[in-house]
């Protein structure tokens, strides 16, 4: 499982590099449109095989909200990737862990102890350290976009907890692939620039690499314990640091390293506490079942 997640993280890091390179010639919405089109073509056999059941949902409202927020997350996230150093954009994306914790408390009624609250506060402190403008400089709008993308991803993940209990995986896949693609059409037309063959090759590669990364993650969670292997995803920060330096001649400021250390440590601790809570809940469930018999 660990090997699969490391491979998946590498493919996602390559995807980010390709997005940043392609963003020098194409508008972000056009990149997203072609990426979504590539992923839809790859998912089409599964969607068609299960049609019309693949489009039947018991929660159409939540599916619509999830697709809309996913569209926003991609738009903000890809824009920040194109305009921020890779390591900084990647680090801020990890803030989704803390947003998920807050949303789970508010909407799912999860009980959080002092230690997890402390980890979330520390994590947001790390975000502030990275996002805080240097003396005399205005607040970077792309930094805010990266944080906004992390928050939107957290909303999508929270909605998924509810949707996945009712709808089938193929239905979730179908709405994601088709819905986000449809939302991408109007801004793509507005910002359209006829891509070159090189551009088309790049956007096709973005879609293919993204799909391979997702398949690697699926295999990872099949082969290993989710809470144990999830922490390995933070290797993406190392990939981003290496690729940013070698390809884009980027090297983050000291504040980014400090903030990243705090965010990653707090996120790993949060995952650790969630694992402990999950084990306790499983033990209690087994105890109840045993008592029932």
């Amino acid at each position: 499982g660990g090997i699969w997640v490391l491979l998946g993280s590498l493919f996602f890091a390559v995807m980010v590099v390709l997005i940043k390179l392609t963003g020098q010639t194409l508008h972000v919405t056009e990149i997203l449109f072609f990426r979504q089109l590539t992923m839809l073509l790859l998912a089409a056999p599964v969607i068609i095989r299960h049609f019309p059941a693949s489009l039947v949902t018991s929660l159409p409202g939540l599916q619509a909200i999830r697709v809309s927020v996913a569209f926003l997350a991609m738009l903000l996230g890809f824009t920040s990737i194109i305009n921020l150093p890779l390591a900084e954009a990647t680090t801020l994306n990890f803030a989704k862990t803390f947003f998920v914790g807050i949303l789970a408390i508010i909407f799912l009624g999860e009980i959080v102890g002092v230690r997890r609250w402390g980890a979330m506060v520390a994590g947001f402190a790390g975000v502030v350290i990275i996002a805080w403008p240097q003396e005399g400089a205005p607040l970077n709008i792309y930094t805010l976009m990266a944080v906004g993308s992390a928050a939107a991803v957290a909303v999508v993940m929270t909605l998924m907890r509810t949707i996945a209990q009712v709808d089938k995986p193929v239905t979730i896949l179908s709405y994601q692939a088709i819905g986000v693609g449809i939302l991408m059409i109007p801004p793509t037309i507005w910002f359209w620039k006829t891509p070159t063959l090189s551009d088309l090759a790049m956007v096709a590669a973005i879609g293919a690499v993204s799909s391979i990364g997702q398949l690697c993650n699926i295999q990872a969670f099949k082969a290993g314990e989710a809470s144990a292997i999830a922490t390995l995803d933070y290797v993406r920060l190392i990939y981003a640091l290496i690729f940013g330096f070698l390809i884009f001649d980027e090297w983050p400021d000291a504040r980014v390293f400090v903030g990243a250390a705090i965010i990653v440590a707090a996120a790993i601790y949060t995952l650790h506490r969630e694992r402990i809570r999950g084990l306790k809940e499983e033990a209690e469930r087994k105890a109840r079942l045993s008592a029932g018999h």
Side-chain angles (χ1 to χ4, degrees), residues 16-234:
V16 168
V17 170
L18 293 174
I19 290 167
K20 194 171 181 69
L21 289 170
T22 311
Q24 310 306 313
T25 56
L26 294 181
H27 192 270
V28 63
T29 53
E30 196 169 345
I31 297 172
L32 280 167
F33 172 77
F34 281 112
R35 170 184 179 268
Q36 205 63 27
L37 181 61
T38 303
M39 295 183 72
L40 178 59
L41 291 174
L42 292 172
V46 177
I47 297 173
I48 294 171
R49 188 183 312 129
H50 295 275
F51 186 83
S54 56
L55 297 180
V56 177
T57 175
S58 301
L59 301 168
L62 285 185
Q63 287 283 15
I65 294 172
R66 181 182 72 90
V67 168
S68 300
V69 178
F71 166 77
L72 178 63
M74 291 180 189
L75 192 59
L76 294 176
F78 278 38
T79 302
S80 67
I81 286 168
I82 292 169
N83 293 279
L84 288 176
L86 281 184
E88 185 171 339
T90 301
T91 301
L92 291 172
N93 176 259
F94 292 144
K96 65 188 177 187
T97 301
F98 314 116
F99 284 113
V100 167
I102 296 295
L103 292 172
I105 294 168
I106 297 173
F107 295 107
L108 302 179
E110 288 191 7
I111 306 299
V112 176
V114 174
R115 284 177 286 190
R116 280 184 66 195
W117 267 114
M120 285 190 287
V121 170
F124 282 119
V127 172
V128 171
I129 289 172
I130 294 174
W132 198 264
Q134 296 183 352
E135 187 175 353
L139 189 61
N140 192 329
I141 185 64
Y142 300 115
T143 300
L144 293 179
M145 285 186 176
V147 177
S149 175
V153 170
V155 172
V156 172
M157 293 171 69
T158 303
L159 290 172
M160 280 287 292
R161 292 191 188 185
T162 301
I163 295 172
Q165 294 176 15
V166 180
D167 285 352
K168 297 177 181 178
V170 66
T171 303
I172 296 172
L173 170 67
S174 300
Y175 275 87
Q176 175 76 16
I178 298 171
V180 174
I182 291 173
L183 290 177
M184 288 296 173
I185 293 175
T188 299
I189 293 173
W190 181 264
F191 293 106
W192 177 261
K193 175 186 175 184
T194 302
T196 63
L197 289 176
S198 176
D199 291 331
L200 289 175
M202 290 288 279
V203 293
I206 290 170
V209 168
S210 178
S211 298
I212 294 171
Q214 290 181 358
L215 289 174
C216 287
N217 277 355
I218 291 170
Q219 291 298 322
F221 286 103
K222 281 183 179 180
E225 184 184 349
S227 57
I229 64 176
T231 56
L232 293 175
D233 188 45
Y234 293 98

